[in-house]
Amino acid sequence: MYLKCATRSAYEKYSSFQMIKFAIRYSSSRPSHQLIFDRKAKKFQRERAAIREDVELYDYLKEEIGFRLSDRIFDIKREFENAADLGCSRGFLSRHVLAESVKHLTLCDMSPTMLSQAQGTPGLRISKKEMDEENIEFAENSLDLVMSSLSLHWVNDLPGCFSRIIKSLKPDGVFIASMFGGDTLYELRSSLQLADLERKGGIAPHISPFTQIRDVGALLNRAGFTMLTIDTDELVIGYPSMFELMWDLKGMAENNAAFNRPAHLDRDIMLAASAIYKELYTKDKGVPATFQIIYLVGWKPGPNQPVPLARGSGEVSLKDLGKMIESSSKNKKKK
């Protein structure tokens, strides 16, 4: 009897030890972030969109955002030696970047077909690298500029992506990007949800989630970026009906890629959602679709950047600011 108890006790200890080893191995293999988007599905969607014969018909939105984002690069009066375009797609940003601003540009995308179609402006030295923007691989302190246009909203580990970007930047390097914000396609999202509630009594995630502007600022600060500039813009595009909008989203490779997306969208739900869309949002014999664009600029800390003065070093109180303005205006009138 004593021997049985001892054997059982040893077995229990061995089992506990094995369970602990398995738990450690399992937890170490799991990602530290939540997997929301299926990156393999997104790569397939981009490849499918890129091989279409009429692929240029669906460039209008990304072409416009790429042009607007390139203006922000021109606002920085500096010549960048090495730059990278993450998620370059078909070159919607690189085709507006001039050689006077950037000497060498590395185009990165996980879709080889889209990467082959991306081009730059005359005189701009370009190299192409097939790379998932979720796992970028650049040497530390090797880039002067990192830019991305309408790609980072599909990244699962956005904090990790920002951390890798700031590591690849040189001191005083800059990160410029645009991404879809949380109010994007709210008309389509609400119409599909109402149709789901009516036909099935519940809702399904037909539209992928997007990042809120307040979260972007917090994540950039957490990664170590300074002198942040974050603003939003809205583009409202009209379509004949909901079906043309969904067709164009597929042509842009911006259709749903969330892991929990439904495999099929029933015909009766689509017809009900289209009717709800028209009833709630019809304008000028068509339906609008809102695209909220978040523009962000962040700098890696450097020795030549302006630094705020130490707390308490001010020589003028804000209480006296009004009196100083009044006295200066009176002196101007006397003169």
Side-chain angles (χ1 to χ4, degrees):
M1 187 71 180
Y2 176 77
L3 290 174
K4 285 185 178 181
C5 292
T7 306
R8 185 178 180 183
S9 177
Y11 175 76
E12 288 177 348
K13 290 181 180 179
Y14 175 77
S15 299
S16 300
F17 178 71
Q18 291 295 103
M19 290 179 65
I20 292 172
K21 285 180 64 178
F22 174 77
I24 294 174
R25 188 184 308 162
Y26 178 71
S27 61
S28 61
S29 62
R30 291 181 63 189
S32 58
H33 55 276
Q34 186 177 1
L35 295 178
I36 300 174
F37 304 114
D38 186 349
R39 298 293 297 177
K40 292 183 179 179
K42 180 50 58 181
K43 181 178 180 178
F44 172 77
Q45 291 170 0
R46 291 181 179 178
E47 283 288 296
R48 182 176 57 187
I51 62 177
R52 292 177 62 108
E53 294 182 358
D54 58 348
V55 61
E56 295 181 356
L57 291 176
Y58 310 100
D59 288 349
Y60 55 91
L61 178 61
K62 294 188 176 182
E63 176 73 26
E64 177 65 23
I65 302 305
F67 175 75
R68 296 188 183 190
L69 188 63
S70 65
D71 269 349
R72 297 169 185 255
I73 300 174
F74 300 148
D75 290 339
I76 302 174
K77 306 303 179 184
R78 181 190 298 184
E79 186 179 29
F80 299 100
E81 187 72 26
N82 291 308
D85 184 1
L86 304 181
C88 65
S89 188
R90 298 184 62 247
F92 302 111
L93 183 56
S94 61
R95 66 184 64 168
H96 300 293
V97 176
L98 301 179
E100 289 79 6
S101 300
V102 177
K103 288 187 176 181
H104 180 265
L105 177 61
T106 303
L107 300 179
C108 308
D109 201 278
M110 65 178 179
S111 168
T113 307
M114 282 194 168
L115 189 62
S116 65
Q117 296 173 359
Q119 300 296 328
T121 55
L124 177 63
R125 291 189 292 117
I126 283 180
S127 60
K128 298 181 179 181
K129 194 172 184 179
E130 186 177 339
M131 180 190 299
D132 190 341
E133 55 267 32
E134 195 169 65
N135 300 298
I136 62 172
E137 297 177 358
F138 287 102
E140 193 170 346
N141 300 321
S142 62
L143 299 173
D144 302 285
L145 168 67
V146 175
M147 51 190 181
S148 178
S149 181
L150 296 184
S151 176
L152 296 181
H153 54 277
W154 292 115
V155 171
N156 285 300
D157 185 15
L158 203 55
C161 180
F162 287 164
S163 297
R164 287 186 285 273
I165 289 173
I166 197 170
K167 286 181 181 178
S168 66
L169 284 171
K170 297 177 182 178
D172 204 28
V174 60
F175 171 46
I176 302 177
S178 64
M179 58 194 303
F180 285 129
D183 291 339
T184 298
L185 298 175
Y186 74 88
E187 303 98 339
L188 180 61
R189 187 192 305 272
S190 60
S191 299
L192 288 170
Q193 287 176 349
L194 290 172
D196 273 338
L197 285 171
E198 178 190 353
R199 299 303 171 98
K200 292 188 174 181
I203 61 175
H206 298 293
I207 308 296
S208 297
F210 297 106
T211 309
Q212 298 292 335
I213 185 171
R214 61 178 179 273
D215 298 326
V216 173
L219 292 176
L220 288 171
N221 270 319
R222 174 181 167 185
F225 287 99
T226 60
M227 298 191 297
L228 301 180
T229 303
I230 305 173
D231 61 284
T232 61
D233 193 9
E234 283 191 356
L235 288 179
V236 181
I237 303 175
Y239 295 89
S241 70
M242 183 192 78
F243 300 106
E244 285 79 8
L245 167 61
M246 296 178 70
W247 186 259
D248 280 17
L249 289 174
K250 184 177 180 180
M252 299 176 195
E254 290 297 330
N255 39 332
N256 195 356
F259 273 111
N260 61 346
R261 66 190 185 278
H264 302 284
L265 185 57
D266 296 339
R267 180 174 179 176
D268 59 337
I269 292 180
M270 291 184 65
L271 293 173
S274 178
I276 293 170
Y277 206 133
K278 288 183 178 179
E279 182 67 25
L280 295 179
Y281 303 108
T282 296
K283 290 182 180 179
D284 300 328
K285 298 181 181 180
V287 295
T290 301
F291 296 89
Q292 184 189 37
I293 315 298
I294 300 177
Y295 297 98
L296 54 101
V297 180
W299 296 79
K300 184 173 182 177
N304 299 325
Q305 289 180 359
V307 180
L309 295 174
R311 187 178 179 87
S313 60
E315 298 178 356
V316 179
S317 174
L318 291 176
K319 296 179 181 179
D320 302 329
L321 188 59
K323 297 179 181 179
M324 295 174 62
I325 294 174
E326 290 179 1
S327 61
S328 62
S329 59
K330 288 180 182 179
N331 293 333
K332 288 181 180 179
K333 289 180 181 178
K334 289 180 181 179
K335 294 179 180 179

